[in-house]
Amino acid sequence: MYAAMTDYLGFEILDGEQKVMGIAAYGDQEKYDLSWLARFDGKDFRVDTRLITTIGLRRYKARSKGHYFSAKLVEKLGPRRVGNLLEDPYVHYAAAIQKLYEDIAIGLIETYLAETLNESGRIALAGTGAMNIRLNQRIRAHPLVEEVIVHPACGDSGTAIGAAAWAVRAAGLSIEPVTHMRMGPSFSNNECLRACMAFEKILLWETVENPHKKAAELLAAGELVAWFRGAMEFGPRALGNRSILASPIRHGVIDAINQKVKFREQWRPFSPSILESVAEQMLPDGVHDEYMLFNTAVDWQWQQRYPAIVNRDGSTRAQVVRQKNNPDFHRLLVCFQQKSGHGLLINTSLSRPGEALICTPGDALNMFTGTDLNYMIMENVLVSKRKISQKWQ
């Protein structure tokens, strides 16, 4: 259902759902009632497949491309969106489909899991839909729920962990809880230096004694910094090992990130990575998530202080960084706090639009040279571009 409306609203399925979720904050969820798309009455859950999730000849076609909805949906809602998503009716359709998605999910939980929740108060979510941070937060706020568990790789990639957990349990062994997502490959300083050699005509690089301090200096001066250290994150989120970082107080920081590398819609805020000590002041009690899986309300004073990380509805998707779980990234945040007085950074994935998260030093350098980023730190190597290299000598 959500994928079909993502398609109708002009985005690619399995890519644009997060955009629909984000733009929902700008719309009026009550202006249009989409409950005729799907319903749950306490007994039956039905999706109207005459309108959405259609297959074969029933699909709406435009320019020889079949869509995930039918011509009947277009008759009811109007033409598929091709212009500004913030315009009526499309922005309100986004809000309405988010509301319907949440309402049905809550109805299913209350009907089928109430007895279990009354006993334990705990619910675990899986599947790509569990990346919908607004739904996750609504479930967390439900009176029957005391704890929501969402695995950081809750989509298809996480089935590898699920299969391994099943095999371990079947063998009679105990399963340890996940404490971090740094499960990918890592690279030595020498490997990073060797990768730089292929770019010697356009790049300069040097080994720095304290990369955290150097990065904090650049960030405090208003620079964007690509950050490549330690083992690559597993899952869809950049959590401080393969990240593009920026100061949250820099004027025009969203424009700078979009112009240099991300090219995202202007209405989409970026997520912050926050020291636990700052999160205790900034975020509500009990909503200190390490993996950017929940939408969290931010008090007005913090919205005014850090507008670049706040959604239209006054919420944010924050990563709370703890020393014991991510000591390297925690050290960078501490250095930035000591330099600037602010214990948080804007954190977006080290990748270009439509591309996977960067894995190897070669991947990082290819991305770096294909953007307008000026600085990157790979392990202890500071990489810059020759045309600006004299600025920091």
Side-chain angles (χ1 to χ4, degrees):
M1 178 186 74
Y2 207 100
M5 285 302 295
T6 295
D7 186 3
Y8 171 79
L9 290 171
F11 298 111
E12 292 291 330
I13 291 174
L14 301 181
D15 176 66
E17 284 83 353
Q18 61 180 335
K19 298 179 182 180
V20 175
M21 179 188 66
I23 200 67
Y26 289 77
D28 179 356
Q29 63 182 16
E30 304 294 342
K31 186 165 185 176
Y32 298 104
D33 181 8
L34 299 182
S35 60
W36 38 267
L37 288 173
R39 66 180 178 86
F40 176 67
D41 60 7
K43 295 181 180 179
D44 295 318
F45 171 49
R46 295 185 181 275
V47 173
D48 192 339
T49 55
R50 297 170 300 176
L51 300 171
I52 55 177
T53 68
T54 50
I55 59 174
L57 296 176
R58 289 193 293 175
R59 285 191 167 183
Y60 173 76
K61 290 183 174 60
R63 296 181 179 179
S64 301
K65 179 181 178 180
H67 291 277
Y68 207 45
F69 54 87
S70 70
K72 290 183 178 180
L73 181 74
V74 176
E75 292 174 9
K76 291 180 74 70
L77 296 183
R80 180 177 184 259
R81 196 274 301 182
V82 294
N84 188 350
L85 183 56
L86 289 171
E87 294 177 350
D88 187 1
Y90 302 106
V91 65
H92 306 302
Y93 287 161
I97 198 62
Q98 176 67 28
K99 178 180 184 297
L100 180 60
Y101 181 61
E102 293 178 17
D103 288 346
I104 290 178
I106 293 295
L108 292 167
I109 288 170
E110 291 176 340
T111 300
Y112 296 110
L113 299 178
E115 183 177 349
T116 300
L117 286 171
N118 277 321
E119 293 177 0
S120 70
R122 305 174 77 201
I123 183 170
L125 309 177
T128 307
M131 299 304 292
N132 190 301
I133 59 174
R134 296 183 181 277
L135 171 62
N136 293 351
Q137 188 57 33
R138 184 166 171 188
I139 293 173
R140 172 179 255 167
H142 194 280
L144 291 177
V145 176
E146 297 177 9
E147 182 183 7
V148 180
I149 302 166
V150 185
H151 195 283
C154 55
D156 290 349
S157 61
T159 57
I161 292 180
W166 181 87
V168 168
R169 179 54 60 88
L173 304 174
S174 62
I175 299 176
E176 297 297 325
V178 171
T179 58
H180 64 82
M181 294 303 290
R182 303 188 307 278
M183 300 179 181
S186 59
F187 301 88
S188 68
N189 212 50
N190 285 335
E191 287 175 306
C192 294
L193 289 168
R194 284 197 296 270
C196 289
M197 296 299 296
F199 299 86
E200 60 181 341
K201 291 185 179 180
I202 55 176
L203 298 179
L204 287 175
W205 59 90
E206 60 176 309
T207 300
V208 291
E209 184 176 346
N210 191 333
H212 304 84
K213 181 180 178 181
K214 187 64 178 180
E217 291 173 354
L218 291 169
L219 290 163
E223 296 288 348
L224 306 181
V225 175
W227 184 252
F228 179 107
R229 280 181 59 88
M232 179 185 176
E233 301 91 335
F234 181 68
R237 303 281 195 239
L239 300 171
N241 290 37
R242 301 288 187 274
S243 295
I244 297 171
L245 304 172
S247 167
I249 59 169
R250 174 182 173 181
H251 179 70
V253 65
I254 291 179
D255 290 338
I257 297 174
N258 283 332
Q259 290 169 7
K260 291 179 181 293
V261 61
K262 284 298 182 178
F263 312 110
R264 299 191 343 171
E265 296 84 352
Q266 293 298 313
W267 48 263
R268 294 177 63 191
F270 288 88
S271 297
S273 295
I274 307 175
L275 285 172
E276 186 176 19
S277 57
V278 177
E280 290 174 355
Q281 307 170 46
M282 182 176 173
L283 304 179
D285 291 342
V287 191
H288 292 180
D289 174 53
E290 298 177 35
Y291 304 111
M292 297 185 181
L293 293 169
F294 293 90
N295 199 48
T296 307
V298 180
D299 288 341
W300 177 250
Q301 62 174 328
W302 295 99
Q303 294 181 38
Q304 294 293 99
R305 195 173 186 184
Y306 304 117
I309 64 167
V310 179
N311 292 297
R312 175 71 174 270
D313 60 359
S315 65
T316 191
R317 184 190 71 185
Q319 174 199 13
V320 178
V321 181
R322 296 177 171 87
Q323 199 278 336
K324 65 178 181 180
N325 293 341
N326 197 336
D328 190 78
F329 192 39
H330 184 273
R331 181 182 174 187
L332 172 59
L333 287 168
V334 169
C335 285
F336 181 72
Q337 185 181 45
Q338 292 171 345
K339 184 69 178 178
S340 69
H342 302 273
L344 66 157
L345 287 168
I346 291 174
N347 177 5
T348 187
S349 60
L350 185 58
S351 63
R352 287 179 290 199
E355 296 183 359
L357 191 64
I358 293 303
C359 179
T360 69
D363 294 338
L365 290 165
N366 279 320
M367 190 223 76
F368 182 67
T369 55
T371 68
D372 290 330
L373 289 169
N374 294 330
Y375 299 99
M376 179 167 63
I377 288 180
M378 296 194 302
E379 296 304 323
N380 293 348
V381 180
L382 172 64
V383 183
S384 60
K385 293 175 178 173
R386 286 187 175 274
K387 63 181 180 180
I388 60 157
S389 60
Q390 300 301 318
K391 182 177 178 181
W392 289 96
Q393 297 239 341

